[in-house]
Amino acid sequence: MDYSKILSKTASEIKPSGIRKFFDLLSAGDMSDVVALTVGQPDFVTPWHIREAGIESLEEGKTYYTSNAGLTELRNEISLYLNRRFNLSYNPGNEIIVTVGGSEAIDLAVRAIVNPGDEVIIAMPAFVCYPPIVSLAGGIPVLIPTKEENEFKLTPEELKSAITPKTKLLILPYPNNPTGAIMDYEDLSKIADILRDTDIMVLSDEIYAELTFGQKHVSIASLPGMRERTIIASGFSKAYAMTGWRLGYVVAPEQVTSVIYKIHQFAIMCAPTTSQFAAIQALKKGDDDIEYMAEEYNRRRRYIVAGLRSIGFPCFEPKGAFYVWPNISGFGLSSDEFCEKLMYEGRVAIVPGTAFGDCGEGYARLSYAYSVEHITKALDGIENFVKKIR
Amino acid sequence: MNEMNALLNLLENDARLTPEQIAIMLDKEVGDIKKLIYEYEKDGVILGYKAMIDWDKIEREYVSAMIELKVTPQRDKGFGSIAEKITRYPEVQSVYLMSGSFDILVLIEGRTMKEVAFFVAEKLSPMDSITSTSTHFVLRKYKDRGVVYGVPEVDIRGSLV
Ligand SMILES: Cc1ncc(COP(=O)(O)O)c(C=O)c1O
């Protein structure tokens, strides 16, 4: 059979993730001694009391589907949580839908908004899923490379120059994976000023909202006039170390969630029930866990930034998430070359910046979701390698 | 979190951290961290820095045991003087005053069960105020002082992005 004639053209044309390509190298050959700073998820285990709530729900036989939007109690808790921590106000009855991770939330939001041919502006570098998801919905990704001199924030000028009559949606991924950039109230105000006069919606990916350092996360939805044009995608993966539970949520004005709801209902039915019970516990009793883990990340953040700078890398100071994004362009090597060489010769694995978009050239992403001991080992390896190639 | 606790918590988890590393992590001056550590050592808040070793993993004869002691407290001194006496033996790792059905718990290490048994029979039991002993040998350590024993964990986290 000629599958090329059978398979969906749009789906087949999706480019494989750049990270994948790089990591096929890592799994080939003997790489067991390579120290990796590559993983994009917490090294903490989900706090025990949260796991226990999941286990108890199983013991009690709660193994059924929940309502499509998710357990009422969970939506109530999400509503309280968003209000408590980010001063947001959403009706749990019709403005909150529990999803399979922030990932599904992003997919739903894009599919609910985008018509074929619509343009979707994405601030880059960014998490790898946005452009393919936009393409699958028939949209056209319009990528704005953010700049180090602007602290990798999206500037109003950049946004303005990317807007066309076809622009439908802006994807705003802050706190940012991979740069660690955040946007504060003032930064967001300038973006909001532009959007308020338009019909452009914002998809704000706030999955790292609990991991900001030195200042609290501000949601663009909390700015005057922005709630009605914002969809927030978030979830439990990063804040509560719950990646494997696959649980997130999407919140938006009712007119939007009612459409999102239909897609979710038919494509997914409902998010995993066990995870939903665990998440109720997380929201009710997990604020201290968030704080504890965030403080731990903050220490490692300072440590790895200081380490990279002392090796000699110019290194933007990340203010959120758990990644650093040093400039590695000073060696006459492309990002891919640098990272490949570092892996083979220095036995340390980091992700080339280009995995997060072309504008990641010259950079690399290092995750600090690792123990200090492990980070130290990796930094030593990088330092030795750099000494050799300098 | 209280700053001083933060320093102690860091060291409790990893005593090999240098003052320089700690200063970076806590966003403090190295000098201040060194001074704090010095003061903690001087005041006996920090009492030592030891490695956690799983002796079962290397060729060495080793047993450990917990010994429950019932003790008649001494006039004016209570349990203090007997406890202090027990601490002097180098094979004794820990001595705790306990609530409940016995009074003092002694953690002891030796090369063989026999050695431990003799220690109890020859050193502890004869002590005047000790009225009874009960020795429990440790068969296997699963976790000690927050550290899980056994095979080091392998990082199986899958996602790269
Ligand atoms: C920026 C960003 N958004 C969303 C996700 C998806 O997270 P999940 O589907 O586990 O909630 C990730 C995961 O790495 C991410 O980095």
Side-chain angles (χ1 to χ4, degrees), chain A residues 19-20 23 38-43 127-128 177 299 302-303 306 323 365 369-370 372-373, chain B residues 1 6-7 9-10 13-14 16-17 21 23-27 155-161:
Chain A
I19 298 189
R20 234 330 113 212
F23 282 91
T38 49
V39 158
Q41 55 174 323
D43 59 320
F127 181 46
V128 292
N177 169 12
R299 290 173 187 171
R302 295 192 193 110
Y303 183 66
Y323 310 103
R365 189 194 77 174
Y370 290 90
V372 170
E373 212 182 331
Chain B
M1 199 195 311
L7 166 63
N9 285 338
L10 279 175
N13 270 322
D14 182 359
R16 290 193 308 171
L17 290 175
Q21 290 173 319
I24 290 166
M25 281 191 259
L26 300 182
D27 201 16
D155 193 347
I156 56 158
R157 287 177 289 164
S159 130
L160 302 167
V161 289

Side-chain angles (χ1 to χ4, degrees), chain A residues 40 100-104 106 127 129-130 173 175-177 205 207-208 234-238 243 246-248 323, chain B residues 159 161:
Chain A
V100 180
S103 301
E104 193 214 343
I106 295 164
F127 181 46
C129 83
Y130 313 121
N176 185 270
N177 169 12
D205 182 347
I207 194 99
Y208 290 103
S234 192
F236 297 84
S237 289
K238 319 288 173 167
T243 47
R246 308 310 305 125
L247 206 70
Y323 310 103
Chain B
S159 130
V161 289

Side-chain angles (χ1 to χ4, degrees), chain A residues 43-341:
Chain A
D43 59 320
F44 296 101
V45 179
T46 310
W48 173 244
H49 66 105
I50 298 174
R51 280 186 274 161
E52 204 171 28
I55 293 166
E56 268 169 24
S57 78
L58 288 174
E59 283 175 348
E60 288 163 11
K62 293 173 175 164
T63 56
Y64 37 72
Y65 297 128
T66 67
S67 68
N68 297 124
L71 292 166
T72 306
E73 189 181 4
L74 176 55
R75 281 180 284 132
N76 286 339
E77 287 300 330
I78 292 171
S79 172
L80 292 171
Y81 163 87
L82 290 174
N83 189 258
R84 175 168 82 238
R85 299 194 70 95
F86 307 111
N87 211 11
L88 296 166
S89 165
Y90 285 93
N91 181 347
N94 55 16
E95 295 183 317
I96 299 176
I97 294 171
V98 180
T99 58
V100 180
S103 301
E104 193 214 343
I106 295 164
D107 186 39
L108 291 177
V110 170
R111 287 208 268 168
I113 297 291
V114 172
N115 288 318
D118 287 347
E119 292 179 0
V120 177
I121 298 174
I122 309 172
M124 299 294 282
F127 181 46
V128 292
C129 83
Y130 313 121
I133 284 179
V134 168
S135 302
L136 280 172
I140 300 161
V142 176
L143 310 181
I144 304 184
T146 60
K147 301 202 181 68
E148 180 158 5
E149 69 244 37
N150 300 322
E151 300 179 355
F152 296 109
K153 295 168 181 191
L154 175 65
T155 67
E157 296 76 28
E158 287 164 345
L159 174 60
K160 237 187 222 155
S161 67
I163 291 176
T164 74
K166 286 189 184 159
T167 306
K168 199 65 173 298
L169 181 67
L170 163 66
I171 299 184
L172 200 59
Y174 294 93
N176 185 270
N177 169 12
T179 61
I182 61 172
M183 288 185 64
D184 60 23
Y185 191 93
E186 234 175 88
D187 304 322
L188 293 172
S189 294
K190 293 179 203 150
I191 299 299
D193 287 344
I194 296 171
L195 296 176
R196 262 191 294 264
D197 305 327
T198 70
D199 283 333
I200 300 171
M201 291 289 292
V202 180
L203 168 54
S204 184
D205 182 347
E206 304 187 14
I207 194 99
Y208 290 103
E210 291 290 0
L211 297 178
T212 58
F213 308 110
Q215 51 197 298
K216 274 193 63 114
H217 170 73
V218 179
S219 172
I220 193 165
S222 66
L223 272 63
M226 288 309 292
R227 187 188 186 282
E228 63 188 82
R229 57 189 85 246
T230 302
I231 305 172
I232 298 174
S234 192
F236 297 84
S237 289
K238 319 288 173 167
Y240 298 97
M242 291 180 72
T243 47
W245 298 79
R246 308 310 305 125
L247 206 70
Y249 47 87
V250 55
V251 305
E254 195 242 330
Q255 295 84 341
V256 178
T257 41
S258 63
V259 173
I260 286 179
Y261 180 81
K262 286 190 281 186
I263 309 173
H264 173 74
Q265 175 181 41
F266 294 123
I268 301 287
M269 191 82 105
C270 73
T273 303
T274 312
S275 306
Q276 292 192 48
F277 281 105
I280 292 172
Q281 172 72 14
L283 293 170
K284 278 186 167 165
K285 297 276 161 67
D287 286 8
D288 288 349
D289 299 304
I290 295 178
E291 234 104 306
Y292 166 77
M293 289 189 268
E295 184 49 41
E296 193 66 32
Y297 288 127
N298 194 8
R299 290 173 187 171
R300 302 169 185 183
R301 177 185 70 99
R302 295 192 193 110
Y303 183 66
I304 197 167
V305 170
L308 288 168
R309 285 181 181 161
S310 84
I311 294 172
F313 293 103
C315 185
F316 165 71
E317 186 183 338
K319 301 266 174 63
F322 38 59
Y323 310 103
V324 266
W325 185 246
N327 187 319
I328 54 159
S329 65
F331 300 91
L333 299 170
S334 72
S335 293
D336 281 18
E337 287 164 352
F338 181 92
C339 293
E340 209 173 311
K341 224 168 143 73

